[in-house]
Amino acid sequence: MEENRENNMPDLLDLQEFDEEALKKESEEVLQMRFLTSENAVFTRTGGGFLALKTGDKEYERVGVYLTFPLTNPDEFISIREADEKAKEIGIIQSINDLGKDEQEMIREQVRLRYFMPVIRKVMEVKDEYGYAYWHVMTDYGSCRFTTHMGGDAVVNLGGARYQITDIDGNRYEIPDLYGLTVMERKKLDLFI
């Protein structure tokens, strides 16, 4: 009876080799850098305003656009990734100038949406309650209220007097110059800075 069970069960060594080969192939794909240009990639806008990509024999109904380091240079080394939770990289746009004018605008639009960061012009109020901070600010897009965690990395110094604030939903806000705020406004930020 034991002999039958052994004959009907797949050899574990064969399964291990199969998985090892698949893993090796996937690793090689991940490590391969693919540059996307107007010769090998066509970007289009979907009906819902997302970005689609056709490259080679593959079509992606929706892709994500990510800036790589440095974020201060949004026209070079733009990572195009699958739009699922794994965000597997499809390729890199070395320079946005490698694409047609319409495609450049589509990519720039997606970058603006992903990295949308209103500038805080005035701090109206910041209340600390139960481990959260409740903000009321005036941004370059108007009045805004949001919530951050107290402590941690909700408020990060980006160098000099420039700060980035990230709310509990992952939205980012910028204070480009802390000293551009009034003394009273800066006092409201004492808990964070």
Side-chain angles (χ1 to χ4, degrees):
M1 185 121 173
E2 247 177 73
E3 199 172 298
N4 277 344
R5 241 188 279 164
E6 285 179 15
N7 290 338
N8 291 332
M9 293 182 67
D11 187 1
L12 291 177
L13 186 57
D14 289 341
L15 284 176
Q16 184 179 7
E17 286 177 23
F18 174 77
D19 289 342
E20 194 173 308
E21 286 300 314
L23 183 61
K24 183 179 176 184
K25 182 181 178 190
E26 187 176 331
S27 296
E28 287 173 1
E29 285 179 16
V30 168
L31 294 174
Q32 182 183 19
M33 177 141 345
R34 291 177 209 86
F35 288 107
L36 301 173
T37 65
S38 58
E39 281 121 32
N40 65 7
V42 176
F43 291 94
T44 55
R45 192 184 319 268
T46 68
F50 298 111
L51 195 63
L53 169 65
K54 182 176 185 339
T55 180
D57 59 347
K58 288 193 174 182
E59 290 189 38
Y60 301 89
E61 293 179 11
R62 183 175 173 194
V63 294
V65 178
Y66 298 82
L67 296 179
T68 58
F69 184 80
L71 295 177
T72 54
N73 188 1
D75 289 347
E76 293 182 353
F77 298 100
I78 300 165
S79 176
I80 304 300
R81 302 180 191 174
E82 292 180 6
D84 61 12
E85 63 277 350
K86 292 181 185 176
K88 181 179 170 188
E89 188 169 81
I90 299 165
I92 297 273
I93 298 170
Q94 189 170 3
S95 172
I96 201 162
N97 297 326
D98 293 340
L99 302 174
K101 295 287 184 205
D102 290 342
E103 292 176 312
Q104 289 180 29
E105 183 50 42
M106 285 187 271
I107 299 290
R108 285 188 176 109
E109 177 184 273
Q110 293 299 312
V111 167
R112 282 191 302 271
L113 289 171
R114 177 167 303 281
Y115 296 98
F116 177 70
M117 186 165 38
V119 173
I120 295 175
R121 301 287 184 209
K122 184 171 182 60
V123 178
M124 314 294 268
E125 181 180 23
V126 182
K127 282 195 298 187
D128 168 26
E129 291 181 6
Y130 307 110
Y132 293 95
Y134 299 90
W135 299 69
H136 180 204
V137 298
M138 188 62 69
T139 73
D140 52 346
Y141 289 92
S143 179
C144 182
R145 293 178 186 269
F146 59 89
T147 305
T148 63
H149 292 286
M150 288 298 294
D153 57 354
V155 178
V156 176
N157 183 293
L158 298 177
R162 184 176 174 216
Y163 287 84
Q164 176 180 295
I165 299 149
T166 306
D167 71 13
I168 59 174
D169 295 319
N171 300 309
R172 295 176 301 266
Y173 304 86
E174 179 186 1
I175 298 174
D177 180 10
L178 181 67
Y179 299 105
L181 300 174
T182 67
V183 173
M184 290 303 291
E185 290 174 287
R186 289 195 310 264
K187 190 153 185 67
K188 293 173 188 174
L189 301 177
D190 277 349
L191 290 171
F192 304 98
I193 300 171

